[in-house]
Amino acid sequence: MNLFRLKSLLSFLLFAGLACVYVSAQEDNDLICPPEGGDCYPRIFVATEKFQEVKPGQDIVPGLHVRLNFETGVREAKLMTSEDAEDDNSAVVVVEEGESVTVISSDEKTGQREAFTEEEEERDRNIWGQFSFSHKPNPHISLSDHQEFERNLAYALTVGLEEKAMYTEDDDSTSELTKSSYDDEGPDALLLSALKNIEDFAHEIDFGIKIADPDTITSFLAILGSHPHPQVRALSARIIGSSLRNNAPALDISAPARVVNHLISALEAENNSDVHSRIMFALASSIHGRYGRQEYWSQKGGATLRRIFFSDGVSEDYIGRCGTFVEDSFVDDMMNLHQSTSSEQEAEMQREMGLWCAAFQDALAQDKIVSTDTREKIFSALSAIKSRYPTYCPVQDSFRSWISEKMVQRGALRKQQHSSDTKEKSNLLAASGISESTLNSDAEIKFLDKLSGARHSLFGNPKARRKAFDEL
């Protein structure tokens, strides 16, 4: 479905979903009488072969051709005919319960993704023909959830590609609840609300598969790369990541969209630290696809990640995610079971792991990471690289010095825990540079114990490990 068709579908669904209709019915429930006065009309819409206005509150039976006429702003419906689907000036989409939605518009704004080469198109055809998946839809997902998902998706993909929201505070079709949300969060309030709802749905495999449709996920990638609101970009990245995470069918379906390529480009252009972290989440989810790793190498993804890793103002959350990403996506043997690795690819992997080994040692040796959790992630990734690629992960002098300093702190902590002398405790803390918060942190002590265990076995002389027992 192209952008115009999504925009058209959105407009219908949004008007249908947001309009607050107040009606009062007669006792027989067959008629609706407007509270402001006027003629009553049937509760069930009576269709003919010509379009007629669907009045507020009327129920539409399945199978009708429904449209929103942009010229009049009126919702109309008629009996469905075979010619309706051939109208090039309208978008016909079959939704739940067989209802067909058409929106008439004379102004079509296209948002085409960049053209693919013949070789790329051939590869896409091979992807769809070569990889099949079997997925049984979840019968426990309610019809209302499907409708809510489609409504939010249509809105997000239309408004998200525009520079400003569709509605303003003066828009009569905006409900009081919507206006309140708009006042609190600004012109992107509706879009943010829709994206949050989509993210909630995206964790479900069925909805993830729908988001993974190449046209749909390409639209989210476009929002991620172009929308001026950082929270919109962050939510778009989370939707991409949630839809592909642990969802094998979605990964195969999204392959033609080159998700990893686009994520690396978005990461390179991004300047918001929170969005950096969200893109890392999406990247960790998408790289497990059939072509994810090849795209990562071709885009020089490692160089982009490391540039941000050492940039000023980078968040510790992003630093930690880099550690987890490298360990889970490249060091773990399970990630390579279904792929054959050439000597050239193995050489590239060894070089890449060597660069990350140096980066992680530098990050720890600078001793500027406050979060124990972040240090845990970086040290875990570094240890994994050193275990698997020992030749390509030489230990730096600055890192050895840092470990030695941490062992001094660990010894002081252990002595302090067994000392009853208040003055002695204070002297131990002052000599080791340990803060009061660190002193009472069980996580910090556990991290130092782990560091002590790996100090000689991984990062020093194994024969010197005997000396480590004296420090226990």
Side-chain angles (χ1 to χ4, degrees):
M1 184 184 297
N2 62 28
L3 179 60
F4 165 61
R5 291 172 182 254
L6 283 172
K7 291 174 72 175
S8 301
L9 176 59
L10 151 74
S11 300
F12 161 74
L13 290 173
L14 187 67
F15 272 77
L18 291 181
C20 295
V21 179
Y22 297 93
V23 297
S24 62
Q26 292 186 348
E27 292 182 358
D28 60 5
N29 291 324
D30 290 334
L31 296 177
I32 295 176
C33 298
E36 66 276 8
D39 296 335
C40 298
Y41 48 84
R43 177 174 295 279
I44 303 300
F45 178 80
V46 180
T48 67
E49 293 183 353
K50 295 184 178 181
F51 278 113
Q52 301 178 79
E53 177 184 354
V54 179
K55 298 185 180 296
Q58 278 192 311
D59 294 330
I60 302 175
V61 298
L64 297 185
H65 187 156
V66 184
R67 76 180 186 185
L68 180 67
N69 192 317
F70 274 18
E71 295 180 0
T72 63
V74 173
R75 191 183 182 205
E76 303 171 339
K78 71 169 186 174
L79 295 172
M80 189 71 173
T81 66
S82 59
E83 286 142 7
D84 292 327
E86 300 175 359
D87 185 357
D88 291 335
N89 294 320
S90 63
V92 180
V93 181
V94 178
V95 295
E96 276 68 19
E97 297 186 356
E99 179 180 337
S100 170
V101 178
T102 300
V103 181
I104 304 301
S105 174
S106 58
D107 181 21
E108 178 177 354
K109 296 180 181 179
T110 58
Q112 301 292 334
R113 61 181 178 181
E114 37 182 286
F116 297 149
T117 65
E118 291 184 8
E119 291 78 12
E120 289 174 327
E121 293 289 356
E122 180 63 27
R123 192 187 79 167
D124 287 350
R125 285 191 288 273
N126 290 338
I127 289 173
W128 289 96
Q130 189 176 9
F131 304 117
S132 61
F133 64 88
S134 176
H135 171 68
K136 183 178 180 181
N138 185 352
H140 301 293
I141 301 176
S142 66
L143 175 61
S144 62
D145 280 349
H146 280 288
Q147 293 173 331
E148 179 71 10
F149 171 78
E150 296 291 350
R151 181 163 56 247
N152 282 280
L153 183 65
Y155 179 78
L157 294 186
T158 301
V159 178
L161 294 172
E162 301 291 342
E163 291 187 355
K164 58 183 179 180
M166 177 180 296
Y167 294 99
T168 66
E169 294 183 39
D170 296 329
D171 195 330
D172 294 336
S173 67
T174 308
S175 67
E176 291 300 320
L177 180 62
T178 301
K179 287 182 178 180
S180 175
S181 176
Y182 181 99
D183 292 340
D184 292 340
E185 299 185 36
D188 292 307
L190 287 174
L191 176 58
L192 289 170
S193 178
L195 290 172
K196 290 172 184 176
N197 288 337
I198 295 170
E199 184 193 356
D200 290 338
F201 284 117
H203 297 279
E204 167 62 45
I205 290 179
D206 289 33
F207 294 121
I209 289 173
K210 290 185 177 182
I211 294 171
D213 172 82
D215 286 337
T216 301
I217 205 165
T218 297
S219 294
F220 277 113
L221 288 164
I223 296 172
L224 171 61
S226 64
H227 200 279
H229 196 310
Q231 191 176 354
V232 169
R233 300 197 302 274
L235 280 168
S236 297
R238 289 187 61 85
I239 288 170
I240 293 168
S242 298
S243 64
L244 300 180
R245 188 171 184 81
N246 300 321
N247 193 337
L251 284 168
D252 276 350
I253 290 172
S254 65
R258 319 299 201 277
V259 176
V260 172
N261 277 352
H262 287 288
L263 289 175
I264 295 297
S265 297
L267 190 65
E268 178 71 30
E270 185 57 57
N271 56 14
N272 182 279
S273 60
D274 182 60
V275 182
H276 283 155
S277 296
R278 305 307 165 227
I279 295 176
M280 284 301 300
F281 167 68
L283 189 59
S285 300
S286 59
I287 199 169
H288 302 325
R290 298 285 181 176
Y291 294 97
R293 288 163 69 91
Q294 290 95 316
E295 293 173 16
Y296 180 85
W297 297 126
S298 66
Q299 285 287 97
K300 302 187 184 302
T304 298
L305 267 61
R306 285 187 294 274
R307 181 188 64 78
I308 299 170
F309 187 88
F310 287 114
S311 63
D312 294 335
V314 64
S315 69
E316 291 193 4
D317 183 66
Y318 173 84
I319 292 174
R321 286 178 185 272
C322 283
T324 302
F325 174 75
V326 171
E327 182 175 1
D328 291 349
S329 301
F330 296 104
V331 184
D332 189 346
D333 284 332
M334 295 299 292
M335 300 311 305
N336 302 316
L337 290 180
H338 69 282
Q339 296 185 7
S340 59
T341 304
S342 66
S343 58
E344 183 179 348
Q345 290 172 328
E346 182 62 25
E348 178 67 22
M349 177 68 77
Q350 292 166 349
R351 176 182 174 276
E352 182 75 1
M353 292 303 100
L355 291 171
W356 277 118
C357 172
F360 292 153
Q361 289 185 70
D362 287 342
L364 291 171
Q366 291 175 10
D367 206 19
K368 296 180 180 179
I369 300 176
V370 177
S371 168
T372 303
D373 179 65
T374 298
R375 277 185 291 172
E376 284 266 11
K377 292 175 180 178
I378 295 299
F379 185 71
S380 176
L382 175 59
S383 299
I385 295 173
K386 183 63 176 175
S387 296
R388 182 169 178 181
Y389 300 95
T391 304
Y392 303 93
C393 187
V395 182
Q396 301 174 354
D397 291 340
S398 59
F399 182 69
R400 284 198 181 95
S401 298
W402 176 78
I403 292 183
S404 297
E405 293 173 3
K406 290 301 175 185
M407 291 305 97
V408 171
Q409 291 184 1
R410 178 175 177 272
L413 279 175
R414 290 300 186 190
K415 290 179 181 180
Q416 190 276 341
Q417 287 178 334
H418 295 89
S419 176
S420 58
D421 189 313
T422 304
K423 184 176 180 179
E424 182 182 12
K425 288 183 178 182
S426 299
N427 291 336
L428 287 169
L429 290 175
S432 62
I434 301 173
S435 65
E436 289 288 344
S437 60
T438 300
L439 172 65
N440 299 315
S441 171
D442 291 337
E444 181 69 16
I445 295 174
K446 289 179 181 178
F447 173 71
L448 292 176
D449 287 344
K450 184 183 296 185
L451 193 62
S452 176
R455 177 186 182 185
H456 298 296
S457 61
L458 278 177
F459 302 104
N461 181 1
K463 293 182 180 180
R465 191 178 184 185
R466 291 191 302 266
K467 183 180 178 181
F469 286 103
D470 296 336
E471 301 171 352
L472 296 176

